[in-house]
Short mmCIF file of all heavy atoms in Angstrom, two decimals:
data_model
loop_
_atom_site.label_atom_id
_atom_site.label_comp_id
_atom_site.label_asym_id
_atom_site.label_seq_id
_atom_site.Cartn_x
_atom_site.Cartn_y
_atom_site.Cartn_z
N LEU A 183 2.69 4.08 1.86
CA LEU A 183 2.02 5.12 1.06
C LEU A 183 0.51 4.91 1.07
O LEU A 183 -0.26 5.90 1.12
CB LEU A 183 2.53 5.07 -0.40
CG LEU A 183 4.01 5.18 -0.64
CD1 LEU A 183 4.34 5.26 -2.12
CD2 LEU A 183 4.56 6.37 0.09
N TYR A 184 0.09 3.67 1.10
CA TYR A 184 -1.37 3.36 1.23
C TYR A 184 -1.91 3.90 2.56
O TYR A 184 -3.00 4.47 2.59
CB TYR A 184 -1.60 1.89 1.09
CG TYR A 184 -3.05 1.46 1.32
CD1 TYR A 184 -4.02 1.77 0.36
CD2 TYR A 184 -3.42 0.78 2.43
CE1 TYR A 184 -5.32 1.42 0.56
CE2 TYR A 184 -4.73 0.40 2.64
CZ TYR A 184 -5.69 0.70 1.68
OH TYR A 184 -6.99 0.34 1.89
N ARG A 185 -1.16 3.73 3.61
CA ARG A 185 -1.58 4.19 4.93
C ARG A 185 -1.68 5.69 4.96
O ARG A 185 -2.50 6.28 5.64
CB ARG A 185 -0.63 3.69 6.01
CG ARG A 185 -0.77 4.40 7.41
CD ARG A 185 -2.13 4.07 7.98
NE ARG A 185 -2.28 4.69 9.28
CZ ARG A 185 -2.58 5.99 9.52
NH1 ARG A 185 -2.72 6.79 8.47
NH2 ARG A 185 -2.70 6.42 10.73
N GLU A 186 -0.88 6.36 4.10
CA GLU A 186 -0.84 7.84 4.09
C GLU A 186 -1.76 8.42 3.04
O GLU A 186 -1.59 9.63 2.69
CB GLU A 186 0.59 8.30 3.94
CG GLU A 186 1.49 7.98 5.14
CD GLU A 186 0.94 8.56 6.41
OE1 GLU A 186 0.62 9.74 6.47
OE2 GLU A 186 0.90 7.79 7.40
N GLY A 187 -2.62 7.65 2.45
CA GLY A 187 -3.63 8.22 1.54
C GLY A 187 -3.60 7.72 0.13
O GLY A 187 -4.45 8.18 -0.69
N MET A 188 -2.65 6.88 -0.23
CA MET A 188 -2.61 6.38 -1.64
C MET A 188 -3.85 5.58 -1.95
O MET A 188 -4.37 4.83 -1.09
CB MET A 188 -1.37 5.52 -1.83
CG MET A 188 -1.17 5.04 -3.24
SD MET A 188 0.32 4.02 -3.43
CE MET A 188 -0.20 2.55 -2.53
N SER A 189 -4.38 5.73 -3.14
CA SER A 189 -5.59 5.01 -3.53
C SER A 189 -5.43 3.50 -3.45
O SER A 189 -4.39 2.93 -3.75
CB SER A 189 -5.98 5.40 -4.96
OG SER A 189 -7.07 4.60 -5.44
N GLY A 190 -6.48 2.86 -3.00
CA GLY A 190 -6.47 1.41 -2.91
C GLY A 190 -6.40 0.75 -4.26
O GLY A 190 -6.03 -0.43 -4.34
N LEU A 191 -6.64 1.54 -5.34
CA LEU A 191 -6.54 0.95 -6.71
C LEU A 191 -5.11 0.53 -6.97
O LEU A 191 -4.85 -0.37 -7.76
CB LEU A 191 -6.95 2.00 -7.71
CG LEU A 191 -8.50 2.13 -7.96
CD1 LEU A 191 -8.77 3.28 -8.91
CD2 LEU A 191 -9.05 0.83 -8.47
N VAL A 192 -4.14 1.21 -6.38
CA VAL A 192 -2.75 0.85 -6.60
C VAL A 192 -2.44 -0.52 -6.05
O VAL A 192 -1.82 -1.36 -6.72
CB VAL A 192 -1.79 1.91 -5.98
CG1 VAL A 192 -0.31 1.52 -6.18
CG2 VAL A 192 -2.03 3.28 -6.57
N LEU A 193 -2.87 -0.76 -4.78
CA LEU A 193 -2.64 -2.07 -4.22
C LEU A 193 -3.44 -3.14 -4.99
O LEU A 193 -2.95 -4.28 -5.18
CB LEU A 193 -3.06 -2.08 -2.73
CG LEU A 193 -2.21 -1.26 -1.79
CD1 LEU A 193 -2.72 -1.44 -0.35
CD2 LEU A 193 -0.78 -1.67 -1.85
N PHE A 194 -4.63 -2.78 -5.42
CA PHE A 194 -5.42 -3.74 -6.20
C PHE A 194 -4.70 -4.03 -7.57
O PHE A 194 -4.72 -5.22 -8.00
CB PHE A 194 -6.79 -3.12 -6.49
CG PHE A 194 -7.68 -4.01 -7.31
CD1 PHE A 194 -8.22 -5.16 -6.81
CD2 PHE A 194 -8.00 -3.68 -8.61
CE1 PHE A 194 -9.03 -6.02 -7.54
CE2 PHE A 194 -8.82 -4.46 -9.40
CZ PHE A 194 -9.37 -5.63 -8.86
N SER A 195 -4.09 -3.06 -8.13
CA SER A 195 -3.35 -3.25 -9.39
C SER A 195 -2.16 -4.15 -9.17
O SER A 195 -1.85 -5.03 -10.00
CB SER A 195 -2.88 -1.89 -9.96
OG SER A 195 -3.99 -1.07 -10.20
N ILE A 196 -1.45 -4.01 -8.05
CA ILE A 196 -0.33 -4.86 -7.72
C ILE A 196 -0.78 -6.30 -7.55
O ILE A 196 -0.14 -7.23 -8.04
CB ILE A 196 0.40 -4.36 -6.44
CG1 ILE A 196 0.99 -2.95 -6.70
CG2 ILE A 196 1.46 -5.36 -6.00
CD1 ILE A 196 1.59 -2.33 -5.46
N LEU A 197 -1.90 -6.46 -6.83
CA LEU A 197 -2.44 -7.81 -6.63
C LEU A 197 -2.84 -8.46 -7.97
O LEU A 197 -2.53 -9.65 -8.20
CB LEU A 197 -3.65 -7.77 -5.73
CG LEU A 197 -4.39 -9.05 -5.48
CD1 LEU A 197 -3.50 -10.07 -4.79
CD2 LEU A 197 -5.67 -8.81 -4.63
N CYS A 198 -3.44 -7.66 -8.87
CA CYS A 198 -3.82 -8.18 -10.16
C CYS A 198 -2.57 -8.55 -10.99
O CYS A 198 -2.55 -9.60 -11.66
CB CYS A 198 -4.64 -7.12 -10.93
SG CYS A 198 -6.31 -6.93 -10.31
N ALA A 199 -1.55 -7.72 -10.89
CA ALA A 199 -0.33 -7.99 -11.65
C ALA A 199 0.33 -9.32 -11.20
O ALA A 199 0.73 -10.11 -12.06
CB ALA A 199 0.67 -6.85 -11.48
N VAL A 200 0.33 -9.54 -9.91
CA VAL A 200 0.89 -10.80 -9.37
C VAL A 200 0.05 -12.00 -9.88
O VAL A 200 0.55 -13.01 -10.31
CB VAL A 200 0.93 -10.77 -7.87
CG1 VAL A 200 1.32 -12.16 -7.33
CG2 VAL A 200 1.91 -9.70 -7.38
N THR A 201 -1.29 -11.82 -9.87
CA THR A 201 -2.19 -12.86 -10.30
C THR A 201 -1.98 -13.13 -11.78
O THR A 201 -1.93 -14.31 -12.21
CB THR A 201 -3.64 -12.46 -10.02
OG1 THR A 201 -3.83 -12.17 -8.63
CG2 THR A 201 -4.61 -13.59 -10.47
N TYR A 202 -1.91 -12.10 -12.59
CA TYR A 202 -1.70 -12.27 -14.02
C TYR A 202 -0.44 -13.04 -14.27
O TYR A 202 -0.41 -13.99 -15.08
CB TYR A 202 -1.60 -10.91 -14.74
CG TYR A 202 -2.80 -10.06 -14.65
CD1 TYR A 202 -2.75 -8.66 -14.92
CD2 TYR A 202 -4.04 -10.54 -14.37
CE1 TYR A 202 -3.87 -7.87 -14.88
CE2 TYR A 202 -5.20 -9.73 -14.30
CZ TYR A 202 -5.08 -8.39 -14.54
OH TYR A 202 -6.16 -7.58 -14.47
N PHE A 203 0.61 -12.66 -13.58
CA PHE A 203 1.97 -13.28 -13.81
C PHE A 203 1.89 -14.74 -13.47
O PHE A 203 2.35 -15.61 -14.23
CB PHE A 203 2.99 -12.57 -12.96
CG PHE A 203 4.41 -13.08 -13.18
CD1 PHE A 203 5.20 -12.54 -14.18
CD2 PHE A 203 4.90 -14.12 -12.37
CE1 PHE A 203 6.43 -13.02 -14.38
CE2 PHE A 203 6.20 -14.58 -12.58
CZ PHE A 203 6.96 -14.02 -13.59
N VAL A 204 1.36 -15.09 -12.29
CA VAL A 204 1.35 -16.50 -11.83
C VAL A 204 0.47 -17.33 -12.79
O VAL A 204 0.92 -18.44 -13.20
CB VAL A 204 0.76 -16.56 -10.38
CG1 VAL A 204 0.51 -18.01 -10.00
CG2 VAL A 204 1.75 -15.90 -9.43
N VAL A 205 -0.70 -16.85 -13.13
CA VAL A 205 -1.63 -17.64 -13.98
C VAL A 205 -1.04 -17.85 -15.36
O VAL A 205 -1.04 -18.94 -15.93
CB VAL A 205 -2.98 -17.00 -14.07
CG1 VAL A 205 -3.89 -17.71 -15.07
CG2 VAL A 205 -3.65 -16.96 -12.67
N ALA A 206 -0.47 -16.77 -15.92
CA ALA A 206 0.08 -16.81 -17.29
C ALA A 206 1.29 -17.73 -17.37
O ALA A 206 1.49 -18.46 -18.36
CB ALA A 206 0.46 -15.41 -17.77
N VAL A 207 2.12 -17.73 -16.31
CA VAL A 207 3.34 -18.57 -16.33
C VAL A 207 2.98 -20.04 -16.03
O VAL A 207 3.55 -20.93 -16.66
CB VAL A 207 4.37 -18.03 -15.29
CG1 VAL A 207 5.50 -19.03 -15.09
CG2 VAL A 207 4.89 -16.70 -15.75
N LYS A 208 2.09 -20.25 -15.08
CA LYS A 208 1.79 -21.58 -14.65
C LYS A 208 0.98 -22.41 -15.65
O LYS A 208 1.27 -23.58 -15.90
CB LYS A 208 1.02 -21.56 -13.30
CG LYS A 208 0.72 -22.94 -12.73
CD LYS A 208 0.12 -22.83 -11.35
CE LYS A 208 -0.27 -24.19 -10.77
NZ LYS A 208 0.93 -25.06 -10.63
N PHE A 209 -0.03 -21.82 -16.28
CA PHE A 209 -0.97 -22.58 -17.11
C PHE A 209 -0.64 -22.25 -18.60
O PHE A 209 -1.26 -21.42 -19.24
CB PHE A 209 -2.39 -22.25 -16.79
CG PHE A 209 -2.77 -22.51 -15.36
CD1 PHE A 209 -2.88 -21.51 -14.42
CD2 PHE A 209 -3.01 -23.81 -14.97
CE1 PHE A 209 -3.22 -21.78 -13.12
CE2 PHE A 209 -3.33 -24.10 -13.66
CZ PHE A 209 -3.42 -23.11 -12.70
N VAL A 210 0.35 -22.98 -19.12
CA VAL A 210 0.72 -22.82 -20.50
C VAL A 210 -0.08 -23.75 -21.37
O VAL A 210 -0.44 -23.44 -22.55
CB VAL A 210 2.23 -23.10 -20.70
CG1 VAL A 210 2.62 -22.95 -22.14
CG2 VAL A 210 3.05 -22.12 -19.84
N GLU A 211 -0.42 -24.89 -20.87
CA GLU A 211 -1.28 -25.88 -21.58
C GLU A 211 -2.55 -26.14 -20.86
O GLU A 211 -2.58 -25.97 -19.60
CB GLU A 211 -0.47 -27.22 -21.71
CG GLU A 211 0.80 -27.11 -22.51
CD GLU A 211 0.59 -26.92 -23.98
OE1 GLU A 211 -0.59 -27.16 -24.43
OE2 GLU A 211 1.53 -26.51 -24.68
N PRO A 212 -3.65 -26.46 -21.51
CA PRO A 212 -3.78 -26.63 -22.98
C PRO A 212 -4.07 -25.27 -23.68
O PRO A 212 -4.21 -24.24 -23.01
CB PRO A 212 -5.00 -27.54 -23.08
CG PRO A 212 -5.87 -27.11 -21.93
CD PRO A 212 -4.91 -26.79 -20.80
N LEU A 213 -4.15 -25.34 -24.96
CA LEU A 213 -4.50 -24.14 -25.75
C LEU A 213 -6.03 -24.04 -25.85
O LEU A 213 -6.73 -25.04 -26.07
CB LEU A 213 -3.91 -24.25 -27.15
CG LEU A 213 -2.39 -24.22 -27.27
CD1 LEU A 213 -2.00 -24.31 -28.74
CD2 LEU A 213 -1.79 -23.01 -26.61
N ILE A 214 -6.54 -22.85 -25.61
CA ILE A 214 -7.98 -22.56 -25.69
C ILE A 214 -8.16 -21.46 -26.74
O ILE A 214 -7.62 -20.32 -26.56
CB ILE A 214 -8.57 -22.16 -24.34
CG1 ILE A 214 -8.31 -23.22 -23.27
CG2 ILE A 214 -10.07 -21.86 -24.46
CD1 ILE A 214 -8.83 -22.83 -21.91
N LEU A 215 -8.84 -21.77 -27.81
CA LEU A 215 -9.03 -20.82 -28.93
C LEU A 215 -7.71 -20.35 -29.49
O LEU A 215 -7.51 -19.20 -29.88
CB LEU A 215 -9.89 -19.62 -28.50
CG LEU A 215 -11.33 -19.87 -28.05
CD1 LEU A 215 -12.02 -18.58 -27.69
CD2 LEU A 215 -12.09 -20.62 -29.12
N GLY A 216 -6.72 -21.26 -29.44
CA GLY A 216 -5.41 -20.95 -30.00
C GLY A 216 -4.47 -20.22 -29.16
O GLY A 216 -3.34 -19.89 -29.52
N ILE A 217 -4.86 -19.93 -27.89
CA ILE A 217 -3.93 -19.28 -26.96
C ILE A 217 -3.81 -20.09 -25.68
O ILE A 217 -4.67 -20.86 -25.33
CB ILE A 217 -4.39 -17.81 -26.60
CG1 ILE A 217 -5.75 -17.89 -25.90
CG2 ILE A 217 -4.47 -16.95 -27.86
CD1 ILE A 217 -6.26 -16.49 -25.46
#
Side-chain angles (χ1 to χ4, degrees):
L183 305 187
Y184 175 71
R185 169 60 180 81
E186 294 302 311
M188 183 180 70
S189 172
L191 279 175
V192 178
L193 291 183
F194 180 70
S195 300
I196 295 173
L197 177 62
C198 287
V200 174
T201 303
Y202 297 161
F203 184 88
V204 171
V205 173
V207 170
K208 182 174 177 62
F209 301 103
V210 179
E211 298 290 343
L213 296 180
I214 304 177
L215 297 181
I217 61 176

